[in-house]
Amino acid sequence: MTQPGLRERKKAATRAALSRAAWTMLLADGLESVTPESVSAAADMAPRTFRYHFRNREEAILDELAQQHLALADRIRERPPAEPIWDSLLAVLPPEVVRICGDRAVFATLLRVIGDDPAMLAQNLTVLEHSRISLARVIAERAGGQHPGTYPNLLAGVAVTAISTAVTHWALDTTGTDLAAVLHDCLQKIREGLS
Amino acid sequence: MTQPGLRERKKAATRAALSRAAWTMLLADGLESVTPESVSAAADMAPRTFRYHFRNREEAILDELAQQHLALADRIRERPPAEPIWDSLLAVLPPEVVRICGDRAVFATLLRVIGDDPAMLAQNLTVLEHSRISLARVIAERAGGQHPGTYPNLLAGVAVTAISTAVTHWALDTTGTDLAAVLHDCLQKIREGLS
DNA sequence: CCGTTTGTTGCCAAATTTGCAAGATTGCCG
DNA sequence: CGGCAATCTTGCAAATTTGGCAACAAACGG
């Protein structure tokens, strides 16, 4: 719980301000309206600052989402070390993913944008991949070197697949299904075998 | 087996020529040397033609790989319609992935480049995602509407995860493991449950 | 209080991307 | 065969994006 220092907090604050401005503009006026110039103007900063923090608009839009994905691994680490990894995943992922995704209609809009724009898709996949890597690390830690082979990468990969699949299904389904239940079901299916 | 027509074949030929030139230059001189100008020069074409076919160098480098990934779904379709989908996956994916990946040292070089360059990583993830989508479609076809929910996406996702995990393990492992065996093992583990 | 590190910003040159149109090649139909 | 339509290839040039550099400001560590 050590404070990261004022400097880092300020940097994170500007990043968050830019990312939120980008996110807000995306929902309000569509992807075309999101540019380094417009976003930095909305956040009351210089365009050069935008490019100091982000490579492009897609990275800015998904930056907060990316950080929350990376925090999933930390939530797993907070679980009892002796707990089986599958129990940790089933306990952490459903509620956390529900919290991250927020409102269904808003998230559906995001997914539609991602589906329509190749650059947005690529950035979203990058976010998921980094999430996968961080999850693989914590799984390997938990296993304690018991599985030096493909197990951590395999398990982290299928977990991310479950998240992505469940979220997509939930967002595009109009019958109002419960995201936590869908994700829990996906994870459980994989755990017990998909035959 | 209908001929695509001379026009499409010529277009595909130029694409392949550009992609192979990009691939060759990557292995010979590294990613920095691969530019639209250098690649089109090596393929004896105009730089503008490169941009007509590809958005950037990363797309060109991985284009052939992407097409072979998309062909995986067709190989699945050629299996007996009554065959359980898991048997089809176990029969098709290991040998086909071995064929696609080719030489281990060469593929290890590619993976290292992908790991070092964010744009290459994003393009590789895009390739895998399109592969996942095409696999999900054929799985849904085979299921014949029996599983209207998350099953096709989930199964296609874990299959791609298995491929990616197995290939990475094989490429970075110096003990000379058999790729087909590793992939078969990954798929089998998922099929029977990862508990 | 001072030296060092680092985030913010403006400026501007270099590199990249894109729209447009002309020429060449192919597909199609009478 | 003849010719119209579609589209691949290419050059050119404008528009946009990217990236380096340096100055200023703020925070860190004595």
Side-chain angles (χ1 to χ4, degrees):
Chain A
M1 292 303 186
T2 60
Q3 287 285 19
L6 178 57
R7 186 174 250 160
E8 293 184 44
R9 271 182 289 141
K10 272 196 159 183
K11 183 176 181 178
T14 62
R15 272 182 78 96
L18 287 169
S19 182
R20 291 194 186 194
W23 174 260
T24 302
M25 295 187 67
L26 174 71
L27 295 180
D29 302 326
L31 184 59
E32 316 75 40
S33 70
V34 183
T35 67
E37 290 72 27
S38 64
V39 171
S40 51
D44 202 40
M45 293 173 180
R48 190 67 181 81
T49 303
F50 182 97
R51 308 200 85 69
Y52 176 80
H53 285 278
F54 306 110
R55 176 162 295 274
N56 48 42
R57 62 182 181 188
E58 290 82 14
E59 191 175 326
I61 290 171
L62 295 179
D63 184 64
E64 281 209 298
L65 199 60
Q67 295 192 22
Q68 302 212 285
H69 267 273
L70 292 183
L72 288 177
D74 296 325
R75 297 294 87 74
I76 301 283
R77 278 198 191 82
E78 295 168 357
R79 303 290 301 183
E83 184 177 55
I85 186 63
W86 266 108
D87 293 341
S88 302
L89 293 173
L90 286 167
V92 168
L93 294 186
E96 284 298 303
V97 170
V98 166
R99 186 182 58 75
I100 291 173
C101 290
D103 181 64
R104 194 188 66 86
V106 171
F107 209 87
T109 301
L110 175 63
L111 283 188
R112 205 166 44 73
V113 172
I114 289 174
D116 288 339
D117 187 88
M120 281 293 295
L121 173 61
Q123 187 61 36
N124 183 53
L125 294 173
T126 301
V127 170
L128 293 176
E129 170 68 0
H130 288 153
S131 176
R132 187 190 70 79
I133 292 173
S134 66
L135 282 178
R137 185 171 309 143
V138 70
I139 290 171
E141 291 170 7
R142 185 71 67 88
Q146 292 295 78
H147 298 274
T150 60
Y151 184 74
N153 281 321
L154 208 51
L155 184 46
V158 298
V160 170
T161 294
I163 293 173
S164 180
T165 300
V167 166
T168 301
H169 181 78
W170 161 74
L172 303 183
D173 184 20
T174 58
T175 63
T177 56
D178 181 30
L179 174 55
V182 176
L183 177 52
H184 194 280
D185 185 53
C186 286
L187 289 170
Q188 198 71 284
K189 278 181 183 169
I190 295 172
R191 183 185 195 177
E192 297 174 356
L194 282 169
S195 293
Chain B
M1 291 303 181
T2 58
Q3 287 285 18
L6 178 57
R7 184 173 248 158
E8 293 184 43
R9 271 182 288 141
K10 274 196 160 184
K11 182 175 181 179
T14 63
R15 273 181 77 97
L18 287 168
S19 181
R20 290 194 184 200
W23 174 259
T24 301
M25 296 188 64
L26 174 71
L27 294 180
D29 303 326
L31 184 59
E32 318 74 40
S33 71
V34 183
T35 67
E37 289 72 26
S38 63
V39 171
S40 51
D44 201 41
M45 293 174 179
R48 189 67 181 83
T49 302
F50 182 97
R51 300 205 160 284
Y52 176 80
H53 287 278
F54 306 110
R55 176 162 296 275
N56 47 43
R57 63 182 180 185
E58 290 81 16
E59 191 175 327
I61 291 170
L62 296 179
D63 185 62
E64 281 209 298
L65 199 60
Q67 295 191 22
Q68 301 210 285
H69 266 274
L70 292 182
L72 289 176
D74 296 325
R75 297 293 87 73
I76 301 285
R77 276 197 193 83
E78 294 168 356
R79 303 290 303 182
E83 183 178 57
I85 187 63
W86 266 107
D87 293 341
S88 301
L89 293 174
L90 285 169
V92 168
L93 294 187
E96 284 298 304
V97 169
V98 166
R99 188 184 55 78
I100 291 173
C101 291
D103 181 64
R104 194 187 67 86
V106 171
F107 210 87
T109 301
L110 176 63
L111 284 188
R112 205 167 46 71
V113 172
I114 288 175
D116 289 339
D117 187 89
M120 280 294 294
L121 173 61
Q123 187 61 37
N124 184 53
L125 294 173
T126 301
V127 170
L128 293 176
E129 170 69 1
H130 288 153
S131 176
R132 188 191 68 81
I133 292 174
S134 66
L135 282 177
R137 186 171 312 147
V138 69
I139 291 171
E141 292 170 6
R142 184 72 67 88
Q146 292 294 79
H147 298 273
T150 58
Y151 184 73
N153 280 321
L154 209 50
L155 184 46
V158 298
V160 171
T161 294
I163 293 173
S164 179
T165 300
V167 167
T168 302
H169 180 78
W170 162 74
L172 303 182
D173 184 20
T174 57
T175 64
T177 57
D178 181 31
L179 174 55
V182 175
L183 176 52
H184 194 279
D185 185 54
C186 285
L187 289 170
Q188 198 70 285
K189 278 182 182 169
I190 295 172
R191 182 185 195 178
E192 297 174 356
L194 281 169
S195 292

